[in-house]
Amino acid sequence: MTVLARPGTWTGPHVAGDLPGPQSAALLARQEQRESRARTYPRHLPVALAEGSGSFVRDVDGNVFIDFLAGAGVLSLGHGHPELLACVSRQLGLLTHALDFPTPAKDAFTEAQLSMLDPGLRDRMKVHFCGPTGANAVEAAVKLCKIATGRGDIVSFRGGFHGSTHAAMALSGLVAAKQPVQNTMPGVHFFPYNDPGTLEQALTDGLGGMPRPAAVLMELVQGEGGVVPAHPDFARRVRAVTRELGVPLIVDEVQTGCGRTGTWFAFEQYGIEPDVVVASKALSGAGLPVALILYNAVLDKWAPGAHIGTFRGNQLAFAAGVEAIRIIRRDGVLDNVRARGEQIAEALGELRGHPWVREVRGRGLMWGIELADPDGGRPAGALAAAVQAHALRQGLIVELGGRDDCVVRILPPLNVTAEVVGTACSILVKAVTSCSP
């Protein structure tokens, strides 16, 4: 399995001195002066990055880190995969931007994406290319279902996250993030996640006061919500009741898709077939922006131009996406995802029973460690931040999520090696034990 663009260059993390180093500190200061207050990652991970290779990044001061953020999951084959770089370079000399005109690169990408679905589902699905973000694809999915059904309300779930554009934010359970924004999209109903009975009762109770919605939107693993997998019974009952009532089911696979959980899409593990699948992040395998929805052809009721976007014809992303699927199949990358997931479960297993660890959970290469005060069970966000900072000083980049950011999250490249996973898990375990009161 090809892992590094420059094999043997970096084999492990190396951090010398304080963080940020002097050159990183200078760039961070310039960023503070000139960039928006809305920036996030460098506030908690104070480094300025210079280059990446495989599962590693190097900052401008020469420190090397294991990157278990991987561009928030977009770099499914890591930084600088040589075959993806060569593929993108070839396409760069041919055509880079083509709106929604058909092109050989787009046709091959469409065929490759559909080929990853089971034949029965594949034959019923159409593809719509959206603007280049997952949030835009979520908005397209909701718009499609409203047009197709003639209805207006949407069901979403507590703890879910679907993006930070206006409508996508309204569909997300992160109340704190949207409190300053008033009059977000009306008609959104939030239900408890992993509680199928409440939703089923509300949708079927003729005296319950809730109109039949245009769609139900859910993640099979809540990512930003703290890496919370759906219980199988919950996912199947949601699918059953929505099918019975003629309510389209939208599955948001922006973070879980393209192999992240060990199957191409997470819904495959639940034995369900959604009406609409939202995908983005890792579609190109190389961090090039592209987003799409796959949907049942019976919903194809919208008119030409109903959902557009200038950058929906990114030929570089299409070419890279075809190559990424070829590599994933050739190298057995999904097998690696499952094997490394088992390795992580075992390595982090020693944290189960730790007084400040409420739960260690995940699927494939999407894992979270939820931290909570043993006295009362309050989310331990401050401890999670300390664990993140400690891990960074030891050469590991991780993310936070969940309620009060109390979940330490990892999203490694899908072709990460057993050796790198072992080193990273060792750093994480030591960070949790060292930082706990």
Side-chain angles (χ1 to χ4, degrees):
M1 188 182 304
T2 307
V3 177
L4 298 178
R6 296 175 297 279
T9 302
W10 301 322
T11 58
H14 173 74
V15 178
D18 295 331
L19 295 177
Q23 295 189 59
S24 287
L27 285 177
L28 289 164
R30 286 161 64 85
Q31 184 181 53
E32 170 69 24
Q33 288 180 331
R34 301 189 297 188
E35 288 190 29
S36 161
R37 283 173 49 84
R39 68 193 186 282
T40 56
Y41 294 108
R43 295 185 184 278
H44 308 291
L45 298 164
V47 293
L49 300 180
E51 60 179 327
S53 182
S55 297
F56 298 92
V57 290
R58 184 182 66 81
D59 73 5
V60 293
D61 296 286
N63 298 305
V64 176
F65 305 88
I66 297 173
D67 183 9
F68 272 18
L69 177 56
V74 306
L75 296 165
S76 58
L77 296 179
H79 294 271
H81 192 289
E83 290 170 289
L84 292 184
L85 292 179
C87 175
V88 171
S89 179
R90 287 193 299 270
Q91 184 63 41
L92 190 62
L94 296 173
L95 183 68
T96 62
H97 183 279
L99 296 172
D100 60 357
F101 289 101
T103 69
K106 184 179 186 180
D107 184 67
F109 180 82
T110 302
E111 177 63 28
Q113 295 302 321
L114 290 172
S115 76
M116 300 302 283
L117 301 175
D118 286 339
L121 183 60
R122 178 192 314 158
D123 295 340
R124 296 194 299 274
M125 299 301 258
K126 299 192 77 171
V127 183
H128 179 78
F129 291 88
C130 310
T133 67
N136 188 270
V138 167
E139 301 225 10
V142 168
K143 185 189 295 183
L144 170 72
C145 292
K146 286 186 175 184
I147 292 171
T149 64
R151 302 190 290 265
D153 288 22
I154 304 293
V155 166
S156 192
F157 293 96
R158 298 172 191 169
F161 179 76
H162 304 286
S164 58
T165 54
H166 200 68
M169 182 172 59
L171 294 160
S172 299
L174 299 178
V175 176
K178 57 192 176 187
Q179 277 179 344
V181 181
Q182 302 303 313
N183 296 325
T184 55
M185 185 177 71
V188 180
H189 305 269
F190 287 96
F191 282 82
Y193 192 68
N194 278 328
D195 178 2
T198 303
L199 174 63
E200 191 170 346
Q201 182 180 24
L203 291 179
T204 57
D205 185 355
L207 297 177
M210 181 178 172
R212 186 165 296 185
V216 171
L217 170 65
M218 73 174 180
E219 300 165 277
L220 273 309
V221 182
Q222 291 187 333
E224 304 303 312
V227 195
V228 183
H231 296 159
D233 181 61
F234 168 70
R236 291 167 188 156
R237 286 178 64 183
V238 168
R239 174 67 284 192
V241 71
T242 52
R243 177 171 284 129
E244 178 184 346
L245 298 175
V247 176
L249 175 62
I250 305 170
V251 170
D252 183 343
E253 296 261 13
V254 170
Q255 191 165 125
T256 54
C258 304
R260 171 60 55 186
T261 65
T263 50
W264 187 247
F265 287 121
F267 71 77
E268 300 170 48
Q269 299 176 38
Y270 291 86
I272 65 171
E273 291 186 352
D275 299 295
V276 186
V277 180
V278 181
S280 182
K281 281 190 184 294
L283 282 170
S284 75
L288 295 167
V290 59
L292 57 80
I293 57 174
L294 300 156
Y295 61 93
N296 192 314
V298 301
L299 299 173
D300 197 27
K301 306 297 185 184
W302 46 8
H307 195 83
I308 58 177
T310 303
F311 292 100
R312 67 194 187 278
N314 186 345
Q315 305 299 303
L316 303 181
F318 297 155
V322 174
E323 182 70 357
I325 286 178
R326 186 188 71 82
I327 294 167
I328 286 168
R329 283 174 163 153
R330 181 197 69 193
D331 291 353
V333 170
L334 297 185
D335 292 334
N336 187 65
V337 172
R338 293 186 286 268
R340 301 289 71 76
E342 293 174 1
Q343 180 186 358
I344 291 170
E346 182 177 354
L348 298 184
E350 63 182 276
L351 291 175
R352 295 184 174 98
H354 187 287
W356 284 82
V357 175
R358 173 176 287 166
E359 190 174 12
V360 176
R361 55 181 179 254
R363 292 277 191 280
L365 285 174
M366 184 176 181
W367 283 82
I369 305 167
E370 183 174 355
L371 303 174
D373 190 332
D375 183 14
R378 295 180 300 277
L383 174 58
V387 169
Q388 183 187 44
H390 187 283
L392 185 68
R393 290 193 298 272
Q394 300 305 310
L396 173 64
I397 294 174
V398 297
E399 174 61 319
L400 303 181
R403 287 162 176 81
D404 295 327
D405 275 345
C406 72
V407 179
V408 180
R409 302 174 54 214
I410 58 173
L411 292 167
L414 305 189
N415 57 352
V416 65
T417 65
E419 292 76 17
V420 172
V421 166
T423 301
C425 288
S426 177
I427 291 172
L428 262 182
V429 169
K430 290 177 182 176
V432 172
T433 55
S434 298
C435 295
S436 299

